[in-house]
Amino acid sequence: MKFQPVIGLEVHVQLLTNTKIFCGCSTKFGASPNSQTCPVCLGLPGALPVLNRKVVEFAIRAGLATNCTIAEKSVFARKNYFYPDLPKGYQISQYELPICTAGHLDIEGEWGTKRIGITRIHMEEDAGKLVHGDVPGLGSGSGVDLNRACTPLLEVVSEPDLRSADEAVAYLRKLHQIVVYLGICDGNMEEGSFRCDANVSVMPVGSTTFGTRAEIKNVNSFRFVKQAIEYEIERQIDLIEEGGKVVQETRLFDPNSGMTRSMRGKEEAHDYRYFPDPDLVPLVISPDWVEEVELSLPELPDLKRKRYQEELELPAYDAEVLTASRELAEYFEACLALYPQAKPLANWVMGEVTRGLNDSGLAITACPVTPQRLAELLKLIDAGTISGKIAKTVFDEMWQTGQEPAKIVADKGLVQVSDTGEIERIIDEVMAANQGQVEEFRGGKEKVFGFFVGQVMRASKGKANPALVNELLLKKLKG
Ligand code: ADP
Ligand code: MG
Ligand code: ZN
């Protein structure tokens, strides 16, 4: 029997607000334990939550960018469960009436373009953190750090529309790219700012009834998501083929072994005893506010990519690479404003600039060659002042010193030689020193032409105008 995997993802997106969702405490990462807490996020009796307006704005942004409907009225609910890092005994989340519903994202890959439904996006608070082992200030043992308690999260829940680990990763990458473009999340997966629960089931090919799902919790890299889902699909298929049954449960992925293992039986929604939180009034969002947020959205990656292909006439590959991050696209566009020739510019940004960043480990926002300088450099090539080859030397120098390209060219004597007389003199010398090859060329062996070009360019230290070298060389060789 052949099996069809079915996957749905729940993604937790930590929001980039300065303060928590229901109190004014800082959300800054890395402070000493419990230093960023107050009666509200400590869950002290009688303390009342007050909703952070910025969180709502960010949720609207995410909803609009993923084609959701923004609810005019949504409701916060208490999700009741006990956990030592959850002092209230419940988490404030949204349940029956979330802020965003019925959206979608399109993912591209070997399957073509596929639309993945987004069931809902809701706002909720994060829990605190348990620290085991060496607890600062306590010695050895277990401690609770509530700095993270009440940090704002969005939970983005997909429909079970994904059919392979690769589709799941494509969806996740797209969602990640969007929330980072929107400026609502730093996207840092290692620190847990963007983490994913993967729900996986399998059913016989041709079946229309989904199998029982297992939920793999908190996977925090694209690679692990792929590994975890692939492992889980295999595990379930093997289990069924051996006559066993998949049980609904929560599993953990262990990156060291590449396996998932059972953590606990999966609770059903009714186990949480959800009910509307009486401390928070229903949230009402005016259409005006939604419109205002919509107008403030940046150009999103899909549209940007399309525009690069259609308006700038860039190849699909270039458009993809240049829009991969918002910062890279902004760098490219800043250059383009000063040097409006998209394709040569794209080559430089994808080539030298990217190589420099990779080698130095710098982010594009810290690129030592500013858009201004790169544009100046490309103009020098167009003006014939330097060759494309010399330009790479100048680029490296700019990277090191931050100097303007014109000054580097002048100081180092790198101006391209376009003086016919001078180039002819070099050609004569090269031909005199290589009589044998001259004979070969004249005898019909045209391949040696490349050898002569190389020799002349070398003799000119790379400064001879290549077009002129070709032209004059051909004339002279032919006699
Ligand atoms: P819970 O919080 O109980 O996990 P949610 O509704 O928040 O429930 O999320 C359920 C997730 O599981 C959704 O992403 C959904 O697409 C996915 N899902 C539901 N049924 C299946 C199934 N049979 N196989 C795979 N994924 C499923
Ligand atoms: Mg879940
Ligand atoms: Zn607080």
Side-chain angles (χ1 to χ4, degrees):
M1 187 153 46
K2 282 193 77 79
F3 288 90
Q4 171 65 63
V6 173
I7 301 151
L9 300 183
E10 296 160 79
V11 178
H12 284 96
V13 178
Q14 187 177 313
L15 296 178
L16 265 179
T17 54
N18 295 323
T19 54
K20 297 184 179 181
I21 180 169
F22 299 121
C23 64
C25 293
S26 168
T27 53
K28 222 171 152 112
F29 187 81
S32 64
N34 300 306
S35 61
Q36 293 169 171
T37 54
C38 73
V40 173
C41 54
L42 289 174
L44 300 188
L48 290 173
V50 177
L51 180 58
N52 181 342
R53 186 182 170 88
K54 202 77 190 171
V55 172
V56 181
E57 184 195 317
F58 283 3
I60 300 173
R61 283 181 157 250
L64 291 173
T66 52
N67 313 290
C68 287
T69 303
I70 311 298
E72 262 190 65
K73 181 183 156 192
S74 69
V75 168
F76 285 97
R78 290 186 181 180
K79 181 179 184 182
N80 298 282
Y81 61 100
F82 174 78
Y83 214 68
D85 61 11
L86 187 74
K88 292 196 294 290
Y90 60 84
Q91 176 190 22
I92 307 178
S93 181
Q94 295 191 300
Y95 183 56
E96 273 165 343
L97 294 173
I99 184 166
C100 313
T101 53
H104 63 260
L105 282 185
D106 292 335
I107 57 168
E108 290 89 26
E110 60 188 21
W111 50 82
T113 298
K114 183 169 172 181
R115 181 154 291 185
I116 306 301
I118 290 178
T119 317
R120 53 189 277 145
I121 302 179
H122 65 250
M123 298 173 281
E124 63 183 24
E125 58 180 347
D126 206 346
K129 217 164 35 185
L130 293 180
V131 190
H132 303 288
D134 205 14
V135 183
L138 285 181
S140 156
S142 291
V144 184
D145 176 7
L146 293 174
N147 282 349
R148 201 181 61 186
C150 241
T151 294
L153 302 176
L154 294 182
E155 180 171 336
V156 183
V157 181
S158 87
E159 289 289 310
D161 289 344
L162 300 156
R163 292 290 175 269
S164 68
D166 286 337
E167 287 186 11
V169 171
Y171 166 85
L172 206 56
R173 282 191 185 280
K174 179 139 267 182
L175 184 60
H176 183 266
Q177 191 184 40
I178 288 174
V179 296
V180 174
Y181 256 77
L182 290 174
I184 64 173
C185 175
D186 67 17
N188 189 328
M189 295 179 80
E190 271 163 46
E191 285 178 7
S193 304
F194 186 93
R195 51 192 198 259
C196 159
D197 300 345
N199 295 271
V200 179
S201 68
V202 298
M203 61 182 177
V205 167
S207 166
T208 49
T209 319
F210 291 166
T212 304
R213 71 183 154 120
E215 180 190 47
I216 312 161
K217 272 281 177 211
N218 281 335
V219 195
N220 69 347
S221 85
F222 295 121
R223 192 161 56 89
F224 292 162
V225 167
K226 184 171 156 73
Q227 281 179 16
I229 292 175
E230 279 171 351
Y231 175 84
E232 185 59 22
I233 291 170
E234 281 307 307
R235 186 189 71 87
Q236 292 185 11
I237 293 175
D238 289 350
L239 189 64
I240 294 169
E241 283 178 339
E242 285 163 12
K245 252 188 157 164
V246 176
V247 292
Q248 179 157 325
E249 63 180 351
T250 298
R251 299 181 69 85
L252 275 184
F253 175 69
D254 174 11
N256 294 319
S257 63
M259 306 201 310
T260 65
R261 63 184 158 78
S262 182
M263 182 164 101
R264 57 167 187 253
K266 167 78 188 161
E267 45 305 272
E268 301 282 351
H270 62 248
D271 292 329
Y272 289 118
R273 305 295 193 272
Y274 279 102
F275 67 91
D277 191 318
D279 289 342
L280 289 155
V281 292
L283 172 64
V284 176
I285 297 170
S286 73
D288 285 354
W289 191 14
V290 176
E291 197 183 313
E292 192 184 307
V293 174
E294 181 143 38
L295 290 173
S296 76
L297 292 184
E299 184 180 33
L300 291 168
D302 273 0
L303 281 181
K304 204 185 256 306
R305 212 177 51 220
K306 205 159 153 239
R307 179 169 65 83
Y308 281 18
Q309 283 178 251
E310 287 170 5
E311 277 177 33
L312 303 179
E313 295 177 357
L314 288 174
Y317 175 80
D318 297 30
E320 174 93 36
V321 173
L322 293 171
T323 58
S325 83
R326 182 173 164 183
E327 284 86 4
L328 186 65
E330 279 170 355
Y331 180 90
F332 174 72
E333 289 176 26
C335 297
L336 193 68
L338 302 164
Y339 181 80
Q341 296 194 54
K343 184 55 188 160
L345 184 60
N347 291 344
W348 275 83
V349 174
M350 297 192 307
E352 301 303 303
V353 173
T354 306
R355 170 139 24 94
L357 296 175
N358 288 344
D359 290 350
S360 62
L362 289 174
I364 183 71
T365 44
C367 182
V369 176
T370 61
Q372 173 81 31
R373 295 273 186 268
L374 183 60
E376 286 167 14
L377 181 69
L378 300 197
K379 285 181 190 164
L380 289 177
I381 305 175
D382 288 357
T385 312
I386 52 174
S387 66
K389 190 153 185 254
I390 291 290
K392 298 200 169 159
T393 312
V394 178
F395 181 88
D396 289 342
E397 190 69 20
M398 283 200 292
W399 192 282
Q400 300 301 330
T401 64
Q403 263 179 350
E404 337 170 3
K407 182 162 178 358
I408 295 170
V409 171
D411 287 356
K412 304 219 154 195
L414 296 173
V415 175
Q416 174 163 263
V417 177
S418 293
D419 172 343
T420 322
E422 169 124 24
I423 294 177
E424 282 182 331
R425 189 181 54 70
I426 298 174
I427 291 177
D428 290 341
E429 278 174 24
V430 169
M431 283 173 63
N434 297 285
Q435 277 302 325
Q437 280 88 340
V438 174
E439 292 313 314
E440 281 179 25
F441 182 85
R442 291 186 175 152
K445 198 172 164 196
E446 302 205 341
K447 270 202 297 198
V448 289
F449 187 69
F451 162 78
F452 280 107
V453 173
Q455 291 296 311
V456 173
M457 290 308 290
R458 181 184 303 174
S460 76
K461 301 204 172 66
K463 289 189 289 183
N465 180 327
L468 271 181
V469 169
N470 272 284
E471 183 191 323
L472 297 173
L473 195 54
L474 198 61
K475 218 187 283 171
K476 283 200 177 265
L477 279 173
K478 287 196 167 155

PDB file of all heavy atoms in Angstrom, residues 306-322:
ATOM      1  N   LYS A 306       7.940  39.877  -8.491  1.00  0.00           N
ATOM      2  CA  LYS A 306       7.226  40.017  -9.758  1.00  0.00           C
ATOM      3  C   LYS A 306       7.620  41.325 -10.441  1.00  0.00           C
ATOM      4  O   LYS A 306       7.868  41.375 -11.645  1.00  0.00           O
ATOM      5  CB  LYS A 306       5.725  40.009  -9.453  1.00  0.00           C
ATOM      6  CG  LYS A 306       4.899  39.552 -10.601  1.00  0.00           C
ATOM      7  CD  LYS A 306       3.540  39.068 -10.145  1.00  0.00           C
ATOM      8  CE  LYS A 306       2.567  39.260 -11.297  1.00  0.00           C
ATOM      9  NZ  LYS A 306       1.434  40.102 -11.010  1.00  0.00           N
ATOM     10  N   ARG A 307       7.702  42.395  -9.654  1.00  0.00           N
ATOM     11  CA  ARG A 307       8.064  43.692 -10.223  1.00  0.00           C
ATOM     12  C   ARG A 307       9.493  43.658 -10.774  1.00  0.00           C
ATOM     13  O   ARG A 307       9.776  44.220 -11.836  1.00  0.00           O
ATOM     14  CB  ARG A 307       7.946  44.783  -9.148  1.00  0.00           C
ATOM     15  CG  ARG A 307       8.318  46.164  -9.649  1.00  0.00           C
ATOM     16  CD  ARG A 307       7.952  47.244  -8.658  1.00  0.00           C
ATOM     17  NE  ARG A 307       8.691  47.188  -7.405  1.00  0.00           N
ATOM     18  CZ  ARG A 307       9.908  47.693  -7.210  1.00  0.00           C
ATOM     19  NH1 ARG A 307      10.528  48.293  -8.202  1.00  0.00           N
ATOM     20  NH2 ARG A 307      10.505  47.597  -6.036  1.00  0.00           N
ATOM     21  N   TYR A 308      10.401  43.011 -10.064  1.00  0.00           N
ATOM     22  CA  TYR A 308      11.783  42.931 -10.552  1.00  0.00           C
ATOM     23  C   TYR A 308      11.821  42.235 -11.907  1.00  0.00           C
ATOM     24  O   TYR A 308      12.601  42.593 -12.776  1.00  0.00           O
ATOM     25  CB  TYR A 308      12.667  42.165  -9.556  1.00  0.00           C
ATOM     26  CG  TYR A 308      13.123  42.974  -8.365  1.00  0.00           C
ATOM     27  CD1 TYR A 308      12.487  44.157  -8.013  1.00  0.00           C
ATOM     28  CD2 TYR A 308      14.195  42.558  -7.587  1.00  0.00           C
ATOM     29  CE1 TYR A 308      12.898  44.893  -6.911  1.00  0.00           C
ATOM     30  CE2 TYR A 308      14.629  43.291  -6.486  1.00  0.00           C
ATOM     31  CZ  TYR A 308      13.973  44.446  -6.150  1.00  0.00           C
ATOM     32  OH  TYR A 308      14.401  45.167  -5.059  1.00  0.00           O
ATOM     33  N   GLN A 309      10.991  41.215 -12.074  1.00  0.00           N
ATOM     34  CA  GLN A 309      10.989  40.491 -13.343  1.00  0.00           C
ATOM     35  C   GLN A 309      10.312  41.295 -14.442  1.00  0.00           C
ATOM     36  O   GLN A 309      10.815  41.376 -15.547  1.00  0.00           O
ATOM     37  CB  GLN A 309      10.265  39.141 -13.197  1.00  0.00           C
ATOM     38  CG  GLN A 309      11.120  38.103 -12.504  1.00  0.00           C
ATOM     39  CD  GLN A 309      10.361  36.794 -12.322  1.00  0.00           C
ATOM     40  OE1 GLN A 309       9.986  36.429 -11.230  1.00  0.00           O
ATOM     41  NE2 GLN A 309      10.140  36.092 -13.428  1.00  0.00           N
ATOM     42  N   GLU A 310       9.173  41.902 -14.100  1.00  0.00           N
ATOM     43  CA  GLU A 310       8.402  42.563 -15.149  1.00  0.00           C
ATOM     44  C   GLU A 310       8.911  43.962 -15.469  1.00  0.00           C
ATOM     45  O   GLU A 310       9.101  44.306 -16.625  1.00  0.00           O
ATOM     46  CB  GLU A 310       6.925  42.592 -14.762  1.00  0.00           C
ATOM     47  CG  GLU A 310       6.327  41.193 -14.892  1.00  0.00           C
ATOM     48  CD  GLU A 310       4.928  41.079 -14.305  1.00  0.00           C
ATOM     49  OE1 GLU A 310       4.372  42.113 -13.878  1.00  0.00           O
ATOM     50  OE2 GLU A 310       4.411  39.936 -14.272  1.00  0.00           O
ATOM     51  N   GLU A 311       9.140  44.761 -14.433  1.00  0.00           N
ATOM     52  CA  GLU A 311       9.550  46.146 -14.703  1.00  0.00           C
ATOM     53  C   GLU A 311      11.037  46.273 -14.934  1.00  0.00           C
ATOM     54  O   GLU A 311      11.487  47.013 -15.804  1.00  0.00           O
ATOM     55  CB  GLU A 311       9.143  47.049 -13.538  1.00  0.00           C
ATOM     56  CG  GLU A 311       7.711  47.505 -13.623  1.00  0.00           C
ATOM     57  CD  GLU A 311       7.349  48.331 -12.399  1.00  0.00           C
ATOM     58  OE1 GLU A 311       8.213  49.045 -11.870  1.00  0.00           O
ATOM     59  OE2 GLU A 311       6.174  48.231 -11.980  1.00  0.00           O
ATOM     60  N   LEU A 312      11.823  45.560 -14.143  1.00  0.00           N
ATOM     61  CA  LEU A 312      13.281  45.691 -14.263  1.00  0.00           C
ATOM     62  C   LEU A 312      13.848  44.670 -15.243  1.00  0.00           C
ATOM     63  O   LEU A 312      15.033  44.672 -15.549  1.00  0.00           O
ATOM     64  CB  LEU A 312      13.959  45.524 -12.899  1.00  0.00           C
ATOM     65  CG  LEU A 312      13.494  46.485 -11.804  1.00  0.00           C
ATOM     66  CD1 LEU A 312      14.238  46.204 -10.496  1.00  0.00           C
ATOM     67  CD2 LEU A 312      13.722  47.933 -12.218  1.00  0.00           C
ATOM     68  N   GLU A 313      12.993  43.767 -15.716  1.00  0.00           N
ATOM     69  CA  GLU A 313      13.377  42.738 -16.679  1.00  0.00           C
ATOM     70  C   GLU A 313      14.534  41.874 -16.195  1.00  0.00           C
ATOM     71  O   GLU A 313      15.425  41.514 -16.963  1.00  0.00           O
ATOM     72  CB  GLU A 313      13.682  43.371 -18.038  1.00  0.00           C
ATOM     73  CG  GLU A 313      12.419  44.001 -18.631  1.00  0.00           C
ATOM     74  CD  GLU A 313      12.664  44.724 -19.948  1.00  0.00           C
ATOM     75  OE1 GLU A 313      13.826  44.790 -20.375  1.00  0.00           O
ATOM     76  OE2 GLU A 313      11.685  45.207 -20.521  1.00  0.00           O
ATOM     77  N   LEU A 314      14.513  41.567 -14.915  1.00  0.00           N
ATOM     78  CA  LEU A 314      15.546  40.683 -14.364  1.00  0.00           C
ATOM     79  C   LEU A 314      15.093  39.226 -14.501  1.00  0.00           C
ATOM     80  O   LEU A 314      13.901  38.950 -14.452  1.00  0.00           O
ATOM     81  CB  LEU A 314      15.775  40.995 -12.885  1.00  0.00           C
ATOM     82  CG  LEU A 314      16.505  42.298 -12.578  1.00  0.00           C
ATOM     83  CD1 LEU A 314      16.525  42.560 -11.075  1.00  0.00           C
ATOM     84  CD2 LEU A 314      17.930  42.271 -13.130  1.00  0.00           C
ATOM     85  N   PRO A 315      16.047  38.301 -14.658  1.00  0.00           N
ATOM     86  CA  PRO A 315      15.687  36.880 -14.687  1.00  0.00           C
ATOM     87  C   PRO A 315      15.058  36.460 -13.359  1.00  0.00           C
ATOM     88  O   PRO A 315      15.328  37.079 -12.321  1.00  0.00           O
ATOM     89  CB  PRO A 315      17.030  36.174 -14.879  1.00  0.00           C
ATOM     90  CG  PRO A 315      18.001  37.222 -15.288  1.00  0.00           C
ATOM     91  CD  PRO A 315      17.480  38.530 -14.804  1.00  0.00           C
ATOM     92  N   ALA A 316      14.250  35.407 -13.412  1.00  0.00           N
ATOM     93  CA  ALA A 316      13.554  34.926 -12.211  1.00  0.00           C
ATOM     94  C   ALA A 316      14.544  34.649 -11.079  1.00  0.00           C
ATOM     95  O   ALA A 316      14.289  34.978  -9.919  1.00  0.00           O
ATOM     96  CB  ALA A 316      12.770  33.659 -12.534  1.00  0.00           C
ATOM     97  N   TYR A 317      15.674  34.071 -11.445  1.00  0.00           N
ATOM     98  CA  TYR A 317      16.661  33.721 -10.416  1.00  0.00           C
ATOM     99  C   TYR A 317      17.154  34.967  -9.682  1.00  0.00           C
ATOM    100  O   TYR A 317      17.213  35.012  -8.457  1.00  0.00           O
ATOM    101  CB  TYR A 317      17.841  32.968 -11.053  1.00  0.00           C
ATOM    102  CG  TYR A 317      18.949  32.679 -10.071  1.00  0.00           C
ATOM    103  CD1 TYR A 317      18.850  31.609  -9.186  1.00  0.00           C
ATOM    104  CD2 TYR A 317      20.083  33.496 -10.003  1.00  0.00           C
ATOM    105  CE1 TYR A 317      19.845  31.351  -8.271  1.00  0.00           C
ATOM    106  CE2 TYR A 317      21.089  33.246  -9.087  1.00  0.00           C
ATOM    107  CZ  TYR A 317      20.970  32.172  -8.219  1.00  0.00           C
ATOM    108  OH  TYR A 317      21.957  31.922  -7.304  1.00  0.00           O
ATOM    109  N   ASP A 318      17.509  36.003 -10.453  1.00  0.00           N
ATOM    110  CA  ASP A 318      18.012  37.239  -9.852  1.00  0.00           C
ATOM    111  C   ASP A 318      16.954  37.856  -8.932  1.00  0.00           C
ATOM    112  O   ASP A 318      17.248  38.300  -7.825  1.00  0.00           O
ATOM    113  CB  ASP A 318      18.371  38.268 -10.935  1.00  0.00           C
ATOM    114  CG  ASP A 318      19.490  37.790 -11.841  1.00  0.00           C
ATOM    115  OD1 ASP A 318      19.597  36.560 -12.037  1.00  0.00           O
ATOM    116  OD2 ASP A 318      20.245  38.625 -12.363  1.00  0.00           O
ATOM    117  N   ALA A 319      15.719  37.865  -9.429  1.00  0.00           N
ATOM    118  CA  ALA A 319      14.634  38.471  -8.654  1.00  0.00           C
ATOM    119  C   ALA A 319      14.472  37.733  -7.326  1.00  0.00           C
ATOM    120  O   ALA A 319      14.267  38.346  -6.279  1.00  0.00           O
ATOM    121  CB  ALA A 319      13.335  38.432  -9.447  1.00  0.00           C
ATOM    122  N   GLU A 320      14.596  36.434  -7.389  1.00  0.00           N
ATOM    123  CA  GLU A 320      14.469  35.607  -6.186  1.00  0.00           C
ATOM    124  C   GLU A 320      15.580  35.939  -5.172  1.00  0.00           C
ATOM    125  O   GLU A 320      15.328  36.175  -3.990  1.00  0.00           O
ATOM    126  CB  GLU A 320      14.575  34.134  -6.625  1.00  0.00           C
ATOM    127  CG  GLU A 320      14.611  33.140  -5.496  1.00  0.00           C
ATOM    128  CD  GLU A 320      13.227  32.618  -5.163  1.00  0.00           C
ATOM    129  OE1 GLU A 320      12.439  32.463  -6.114  1.00  0.00           O
ATOM    130  OE2 GLU A 320      12.957  32.407  -3.973  1.00  0.00           O
ATOM    131  N   VAL A 321      16.806  35.960  -5.665  1.00  0.00           N
ATOM    132  CA  VAL A 321      17.951  36.196  -4.771  1.00  0.00           C
ATOM    133  C   VAL A 321      17.883  37.600  -4.165  1.00  0.00           C
ATOM    134  O   VAL A 321      18.076  37.785  -2.969  1.00  0.00           O
ATOM    135  CB  VAL A 321      19.284  36.018  -5.537  1.00  0.00           C
ATOM    136  CG1 VAL A 321      20.467  36.434  -4.669  1.00  0.00           C
ATOM    137  CG2 VAL A 321      19.450  34.574  -5.996  1.00  0.00           C
ATOM    138  N   LEU A 322      17.589  38.587  -5.000  1.00  0.00           N
ATOM    139  CA  LEU A 322      17.634  39.973  -4.530  1.00  0.00           C
ATOM    140  C   LEU A 322      16.510  40.315  -3.558  1.00  0.00           C
ATOM    141  O   LEU A 322      16.627  41.253  -2.772  1.00  0.00           O
ATOM    142  CB  LEU A 322      17.594  40.934  -5.721  1.00  0.00           C
ATOM    143  CG  LEU A 322      18.830  40.880  -6.623  1.00  0.00           C
ATOM    144  CD1 LEU A 322      18.606  41.694  -7.893  1.00  0.00           C
ATOM    145  CD2 LEU A 322      20.063  41.400  -5.889  1.00  0.00           C
TER     146      LEU A 322
END
